Amino acid sequence: MAPVEIGLGLQSDKRAGDYARLARRAEEQGFDVLTVFGDLMYQPPIFPLLEMAAATSRVRLGPACLNPYSMAPYEIAGQVAALDLASRGRAYLGLARGAWLGAVGIDQPRPLAAIEEAAQVVYRLLGGDAGGFEGRVFRLAPGTTLRYAVHRPDPPLLIGAWGPRGVALAGRIAGEIKIGGSANPAMVPVIRDRLRVGAEQAGRSAGEIGIVVGAVTVVDTDGAAARARARTEVAMYLAVVADLDPTVEIPADLLRRVKELTDAGRHEAAGLLIPDDLLDLFAFSGTPDQVAAQAQALIDAGVHRVEFGTPHGLTDDLGVWLLGSAVLPALNREGSGR
């Protein structure tokens, strides 16, 4: 079995040039994958991804994730084709239903059908299939094809999901499933069981689909400062994903208060409510040794990739440097349970 991949997940809130600098450092230090999030009202992922593609030669790159509600499948096909061309075949495509879209007036009906049909449209276009497609959500008229050459017809597909039906869909059609906003090893067997349902329907083994676990990460030699920053950063994600983890019981009043505070923009106050044990399930934080121990627990549980998410450290550069120089060398990427 191949060693576990280690990736960096970046929020698209930086200046031009920052992405290239961080990408070069990450590649030099041995990271395998660079992801850019597609969170609402941040820069579109394609801008940082293209900048990072030009600055690197080895790492895989992709968005995690694009959604088929705010971007039409033919646009998604065009963006992944552009990234694959710019990176000379290193792109992957991440698809998910998306979050917070109600804030811009976008409804999200039939999310499973939307994701599955979007994937079909994207890969028909990339593959030059002119036969058309008639789905419940999306359609392609016969003869509709891309009017440019693509580098590959089949960049790998990742689906972002937590629930049984979304994960089962990944088991049927994707190469990877990502549970974003989690650092909880107990979720790995849950996801594997949910994958198995869809994989068996498609005549696949659940082991063929890689499980990716990623979360807010803050590492620093000052562990207390790192954990304080992580509390603030993780609050808005906790409000979205905490209800999705069946292995964790969170007091309803605590979650309600965190949601209220984050909705009001009071992220630091919301973070102060998060206890240590809960923080460790939804973020990587602390000293390099503490973060390495968290990542190792996931590797030993059988993940395919650990993704250290924004903001990485008390500063971008210091966080990436510590992850590469102190956390990665401490990991047994073969894993005791693999």
Side-chain angles (χ1 to χ4, degrees), residues 112 160-170 177 179 187 191 194-195 244:
L112 293 177
W162 281 71
R165 295 172 65 205
V167 177
L169 173 61
I177 173 74
I179 47 172
M187 274 301 298
I191 294 298
R194 292 175 177 180
L195 280 172
L244 304 176

Side-chain angles (χ1 to χ4, degrees), residues 176-263:
E176 293 181 312
I177 173 74
K178 180 181 178 182
I179 47 172
S182 179
N184 182 7
M187 274 301 298
V188 177
V190 173
I191 294 298
R192 185 65 71 198
D193 286 343
R194 292 175 177 180
L195 280 172
R196 189 170 292 111
V197 174
E200 289 177 352
Q201 292 174 354
R204 309 171 73 191
S205 164
E208 295 178 37
I209 303 98
I211 296 175
V212 182
V213 177
V216 162
T217 304
V218 186
V219 62
D220 196 82
T221 53
D222 183 341
R227 289 177 70 79
R229 173 78 184 277
R231 281 185 166 84
T232 299
E233 296 290 336
V234 81
M236 76 171 187
Y237 296 108
L238 185 69
V240 174
V241 304
D243 284 337
L244 304 176
D245 189 328
T247 73
V248 180
E249 291 188 14
I250 302 175
D253 58 338
L254 171 61
L255 195 55
R256 175 184 55 78
R257 186 61 179 147
V258 169
K259 289 180 177 179
E260 289 174 349
L261 289 169
T262 55
D263 288 345

Side-chain angles (χ1 to χ4, degrees), residues 294-316:
Q294 286 185 273
Q296 191 65 56
L298 287 164
I299 293 169
D300 292 344
V303 300
H304 167 70
R305 172 158 45 106
V306 175
E307 185 173 278
F308 295 121
T310 291
H312 306 121
L314 300 182
T315 67
D316 291 332

Side-chain angles (χ1 to χ4, degrees), residues 15 22 54 90 133 180 191 194 199 210 237 294 324 332:
R15 298 168 300 176
L22 294 171
R90 293 181 284 132
F133 174 76
I191 294 298
R194 292 175 177 180
Y237 296 108
Q294 286 185 273
N332 171 14

Side-chain angles (χ1 to χ4, degrees), residues 38-55:
D39 291 341
L40 183 70
M41 305 311 290
Y42 287 90
Q43 294 167 344
I46 191 64
F47 158 52
L49 285 166
L50 289 175
E51 184 174 298
M52 294 193 295

Side-chain angles (χ1 to χ4, degrees), residues 266-337:
R266 299 177 59 192
H267 296 272
E268 185 174 357
L272 289 174
L273 299 177
I274 301 172
D276 282 340
D277 56 347
L278 195 59
L279 178 66
D280 287 339
L281 297 178
F282 294 95
F284 302 100
S285 67
T287 65
D289 285 347
Q290 287 175 298
V291 170
Q294 286 185 273
Q296 191 65 56
L298 287 164
I299 293 169
D300 292 344
V303 300
H304 167 70
R305 172 158 45 106
V306 175
E307 185 173 278
F308 295 121
T310 291
H312 306 121
L314 300 182
T315 67
D316 291 332
D317 291 272
L318 180 58
V320 172
W321 180 76
L322 283 172
L323 287 168
S325 65
V327 174
L328 262 64
L331 300 177
N332 171 14
R333 293 167 67 173
E334 302 296 334
S336 63

